[in-house]
Every structure is written in C-alpha cells, then in structure tokens.
Amino acid sequence: LGLKEVAAYWDEIIKINDWQQDRIYRTLVEKLYGNISGKRIVILGFSFKANTNDTRNSPAITICRKLLAEDAQLVIHDPKVGEKDVFDALVGSQNIINFKKNLIYEINIPKATENADAVLIMTEWEDYKNLDWKKLQIKMRKPSWVFDTRSIISPEQLKRIDLNFWQLGNG
C-alpha cells in the first residue's frame, strides 16, 4: 500500500516490546545475583492482558522460556489461563529442552509462593493488586523479590515488609 513509514513505525514498536521483555528478564537475573538455576520464581499472570484467557503474544511466554532455559523453577498462576494452555504455550513443539521438570501450575497463590525466591507480576489482574504481601513474604525465601512489570503495586505497601521490590518505571 506504499505505507513505508507506518510499517517502519510498527516494526519499531515490536523491537521495543522485545527489548522490554529482555530487560525484565535481565533485571530479574541480575537482582537474583546472576544465577537463577534452581531458583523458584512465581509468575503471576500468563495471559496477554487481564480479564482474558488469551495468551497469544503474551510477554510471559518469552520471559518464562528464557527463565526455564536458565534452569529456573517456575510456578505459574493465572485466574483464566489453565494448566494445559500454559504448558502448550511454553513447551508446545519445543524439542530443545524438556521444560516440564521445572514447570508448575498452581491456582493457590499462597501455596505458589512457598519457598519462592521471587514473584514476577506479568498481568494486571485485579487479584494481584490486593495481595497480602506481609503474609506472602513469610512463606518466601530470604532475600526475596517482587518484580512488578505492570505497576499495580504501591511501593509504600512493600516498604514496611521484608521484600525487595522492583517496578517497571520506578527501577
């Protein structure tokens, strides 16, 4: 259609989205001392956006695959995306690495956080905005981290408890 500028614009959007996913992954690895092998990381939200079970183009897929490739143990929770859909999206036709040994689907958030090294919020579900972090942090290993990629948690809420906190846009 001769819309080279429009095509170039959307190409750059895709590049920025890919860069942001890589940035989140690298930040998590860095904050967990450069080695996530054997670390238990809870992924809160797997869908592309809240209030849907659509995982197509979800940033969680790319980030989870990178974490799994580093031998992290992932515990995934999503209110609408089921276990089969999570496993299909992550493992699917992947023959490179057997991810299943390090992949757990958990519908109970407090149970998911047991012995977790980090929680990574990937989707802005209402359920995640009102979590009782004081109770959850007791179940987690120390030092534990919360990575909020959707900026849904008030930093003041976590200042009073023993959790390290990183939030997209706030560092």
PDB file of all heavy atoms in Angstrom, residues 64-78:
ATOM      1  N   CYS A  64       9.252 -16.437  30.367  1.00  0.00           N
ATOM      2  CA  CYS A  64       9.276 -17.756  31.015  1.00  0.00           C
ATOM      3  C   CYS A  64      10.215 -18.711  30.299  1.00  0.00           C
ATOM      4  O   CYS A  64      10.955 -19.463  30.944  1.00  0.00           O
ATOM      5  CB  CYS A  64       7.864 -18.350  31.079  1.00  0.00           C
ATOM      6  SG  CYS A  64       6.792 -17.570  32.297  1.00  0.00           S
ATOM      7  N   ARG A  65      10.211 -18.696  28.986  1.00  0.00           N
ATOM      8  CA  ARG A  65      11.125 -19.575  28.240  1.00  0.00           C
ATOM      9  C   ARG A  65      12.584 -19.250  28.568  1.00  0.00           C
ATOM     10  O   ARG A  65      13.404 -20.152  28.718  1.00  0.00           O
ATOM     11  CB  ARG A  65      10.878 -19.466  26.745  1.00  0.00           C
ATOM     12  CG  ARG A  65       9.654 -20.234  26.291  1.00  0.00           C
ATOM     13  CD  ARG A  65       9.501 -20.181  24.799  1.00  0.00           C
ATOM     14  NE  ARG A  65       8.331 -20.961  24.381  1.00  0.00           N
ATOM     15  CZ  ARG A  65       7.734 -20.808  23.221  1.00  0.00           C
ATOM     16  NH1 ARG A  65       8.197 -19.933  22.353  1.00  0.00           N
ATOM     17  NH2 ARG A  65       6.687 -21.539  22.906  1.00  0.00           N
ATOM     18  N   LYS A  66      12.895 -17.973  28.664  1.00  0.00           N
ATOM     19  CA  LYS A  66      14.270 -17.579  28.998  1.00  0.00           C
ATOM     20  C   LYS A  66      14.630 -18.041  30.407  1.00  0.00           C
ATOM     21  O   LYS A  66      15.748 -18.519  30.642  1.00  0.00           O
ATOM     22  CB  LYS A  66      14.447 -16.068  28.873  1.00  0.00           C
ATOM     23  CG  LYS A  66      14.453 -15.587  27.444  1.00  0.00           C
ATOM     24  CD  LYS A  66      14.666 -14.092  27.375  1.00  0.00           C
ATOM     25  CE  LYS A  66      14.740 -13.640  25.926  1.00  0.00           C
ATOM     26  NZ  LYS A  66      15.218 -12.271  25.800  1.00  0.00           N
ATOM     27  N   LEU A  67      13.710 -17.892  31.341  1.00  0.00           N
ATOM     28  CA  LEU A  67      13.965 -18.324  32.713  1.00  0.00           C
ATOM     29  C   LEU A  67      14.131 -19.837  32.788  1.00  0.00           C
ATOM     30  O   LEU A  67      15.015 -20.345  33.485  1.00  0.00           O
ATOM     31  CB  LEU A  67      12.841 -17.852  33.633  1.00  0.00           C
ATOM     32  CG  LEU A  67      12.696 -16.339  33.794  1.00  0.00           C
ATOM     33  CD1 LEU A  67      11.410 -15.997  34.541  1.00  0.00           C
ATOM     34  CD2 LEU A  67      13.902 -15.740  34.498  1.00  0.00           C
ATOM     35  N   LEU A  68      13.294 -20.556  32.073  1.00  0.00           N
ATOM     36  CA  LEU A  68      13.397 -22.014  32.046  1.00  0.00           C
ATOM     37  C   LEU A  68      14.712 -22.469  31.419  1.00  0.00           C
ATOM     38  O   LEU A  68      15.311 -23.445  31.854  1.00  0.00           O
ATOM     39  CB  LEU A  68      12.216 -22.624  31.305  1.00  0.00           C
ATOM     40  CG  LEU A  68      10.874 -22.579  32.039  1.00  0.00           C
ATOM     41  CD1 LEU A  68       9.722 -22.873  31.088  1.00  0.00           C
ATOM     42  CD2 LEU A  68      10.865 -23.522  33.226  1.00  0.00           C
ATOM     43  N   ALA A  69      15.163 -21.757  30.399  1.00  0.00           N
ATOM     44  CA  ALA A  69      16.431 -22.097  29.754  1.00  0.00           C
ATOM     45  C   ALA A  69      17.603 -21.935  30.709  1.00  0.00           C
ATOM     46  O   ALA A  69      18.639 -22.567  30.534  1.00  0.00           O
ATOM     47  CB  ALA A  69      16.635 -21.240  28.503  1.00  0.00           C
ATOM     48  N   GLU A  70      17.433 -21.110  31.736  1.00  0.00           N
ATOM     49  CA  GLU A  70      18.463 -20.906  32.765  1.00  0.00           C
ATOM     50  C   GLU A  70      18.260 -21.860  33.937  1.00  0.00           C
ATOM     51  O   GLU A  70      18.871 -21.695  34.991  1.00  0.00           O
ATOM     52  CB  GLU A  70      18.432 -19.466  33.265  1.00  0.00           C
ATOM     53  CG  GLU A  70      18.787 -18.440  32.224  1.00  0.00           C
ATOM     54  CD  GLU A  70      20.276 -18.345  31.973  1.00  0.00           C
ATOM     55  OE1 GLU A  70      21.061 -18.700  32.867  1.00  0.00           O
ATOM     56  OE2 GLU A  70      20.642 -17.935  30.870  1.00  0.00           O
ATOM     57  N   ASP A  71      17.357 -22.826  33.802  1.00  0.00           N
ATOM     58  CA  ASP A  71      17.091 -23.860  34.801  1.00  0.00           C
ATOM     59  C   ASP A  71      16.369 -23.330  36.047  1.00  0.00           C
ATOM     60  O   ASP A  71      16.506 -23.877  37.135  1.00  0.00           O
ATOM     61  CB  ASP A  71      18.377 -24.586  35.203  1.00  0.00           C
ATOM     62  CG  ASP A  71      18.094 -25.938  35.833  1.00  0.00           C
ATOM     63  OD1 ASP A  71      17.126 -26.596  35.416  1.00  0.00           O
ATOM     64  OD2 ASP A  71      18.832 -26.316  36.766  1.00  0.00           O
ATOM     65  N   ALA A  72      15.610 -22.249  35.883  1.00  0.00           N
ATOM     66  CA  ALA A  72      14.783 -21.765  36.991  1.00  0.00           C
ATOM     67  C   ALA A  72      13.563 -22.659  37.120  1.00  0.00           C
ATOM     68  O   ALA A  72      13.110 -23.260  36.141  1.00  0.00           O
ATOM     69  CB  ALA A  72      14.342 -20.326  36.742  1.00  0.00           C
ATOM     70  N   GLN A  73      13.030 -22.756  38.337  1.00  0.00           N
ATOM     71  CA  GLN A  73      11.781 -23.481  38.553  1.00  0.00           C
ATOM     72  C   GLN A  73      10.668 -22.439  38.561  1.00  0.00           C
ATOM     73  O   GLN A  73      10.686 -21.517  39.375  1.00  0.00           O
ATOM     74  CB  GLN A  73      11.787 -24.232  39.879  1.00  0.00           C
ATOM     75  CG  GLN A  73      10.507 -25.003  40.097  1.00  0.00           C
ATOM     76  CD  GLN A  73      10.453 -25.671  41.448  1.00  0.00           C
ATOM     77  OE1 GLN A  73      10.641 -25.023  42.469  1.00  0.00           O
ATOM     78  NE2 GLN A  73      10.200 -26.968  41.447  1.00  0.00           N
ATOM     79  N   LEU A  74       9.710 -22.583  37.658  1.00  0.00           N
ATOM     80  CA  LEU A  74       8.626 -21.618  37.552  1.00  0.00           C
ATOM     81  C   LEU A  74       7.337 -22.186  38.111  1.00  0.00           C
ATOM     82  O   LEU A  74       6.979 -23.331  37.842  1.00  0.00           O
ATOM     83  CB  LEU A  74       8.397 -21.217  36.093  1.00  0.00           C
ATOM     84  CG  LEU A  74       9.555 -20.579  35.354  1.00  0.00           C
ATOM     85  CD1 LEU A  74       9.102 -20.096  33.986  1.00  0.00           C
ATOM     86  CD2 LEU A  74      10.164 -19.431  36.140  1.00  0.00           C
ATOM     87  N   VAL A  75       6.665 -21.354  38.888  1.00  0.00           N
ATOM     88  CA  VAL A  75       5.334 -21.673  39.396  1.00  0.00           C
ATOM     89  C   VAL A  75       4.413 -20.618  38.792  1.00  0.00           C
ATOM     90  O   VAL A  75       4.562 -19.433  39.069  1.00  0.00           O
ATOM     91  CB  VAL A  75       5.285 -21.631  40.938  1.00  0.00           C
ATOM     92  CG1 VAL A  75       3.904 -22.013  41.430  1.00  0.00           C
ATOM     93  CG2 VAL A  75       6.361 -22.518  41.538  1.00  0.00           C
ATOM     94  N   ILE A  76       3.483 -21.057  37.975  1.00  0.00           N
ATOM     95  CA  ILE A  76       2.661 -20.115  37.216  1.00  0.00           C
ATOM     96  C   ILE A  76       1.223 -20.124  37.714  1.00  0.00           C
ATOM     97  O   ILE A  76       0.626 -21.169  37.919  1.00  0.00           O
ATOM     98  CB  ILE A  76       2.721 -20.443  35.712  1.00  0.00           C
ATOM     99  CG1 ILE A  76       4.169 -20.309  35.247  1.00  0.00           C
ATOM    100  CG2 ILE A  76       1.780 -19.556  34.915  1.00  0.00           C
ATOM    101  CD1 ILE A  76       4.408 -20.668  33.809  1.00  0.00           C
ATOM    102  N   HIS A  77       0.701 -18.914  37.889  1.00  0.00           N
ATOM    103  CA  HIS A  77      -0.693 -18.720  38.299  1.00  0.00           C
ATOM    104  C   HIS A  77      -1.347 -17.744  37.327  1.00  0.00           C
ATOM    105  O   HIS A  77      -0.747 -16.732  36.949  1.00  0.00           O
ATOM    106  CB  HIS A  77      -0.759 -18.133  39.714  1.00  0.00           C
ATOM    107  CG  HIS A  77      -2.154 -17.785  40.132  1.00  0.00           C
ATOM    108  ND1 HIS A  77      -2.752 -16.594  39.776  1.00  0.00           N
ATOM    109  CD2 HIS A  77      -3.068 -18.473  40.842  1.00  0.00           C
ATOM    110  CE1 HIS A  77      -3.978 -16.565  40.267  1.00  0.00           C
ATOM    111  NE2 HIS A  77      -4.194 -17.696  40.919  1.00  0.00           N
ATOM    112  N   ASP A  78      -2.543 -18.042  36.922  1.00  0.00           N
ATOM    113  CA  ASP A  78      -3.351 -17.116  36.149  1.00  0.00           C
ATOM    114  C   ASP A  78      -4.816 -17.463  36.403  1.00  0.00           C
ATOM    115  O   ASP A  78      -5.185 -18.636  36.350  1.00  0.00           O
ATOM    116  CB  ASP A  78      -3.050 -17.209  34.646  1.00  0.00           C
ATOM    117  CG  ASP A  78      -3.692 -16.079  33.869  1.00  0.00           C
ATOM    118  OD1 ASP A  78      -4.923 -16.117  33.641  1.00  0.00           O
ATOM    119  OD2 ASP A  78      -2.969 -15.131  33.498  1.00  0.00           O
TER     120      ASP A  78
END
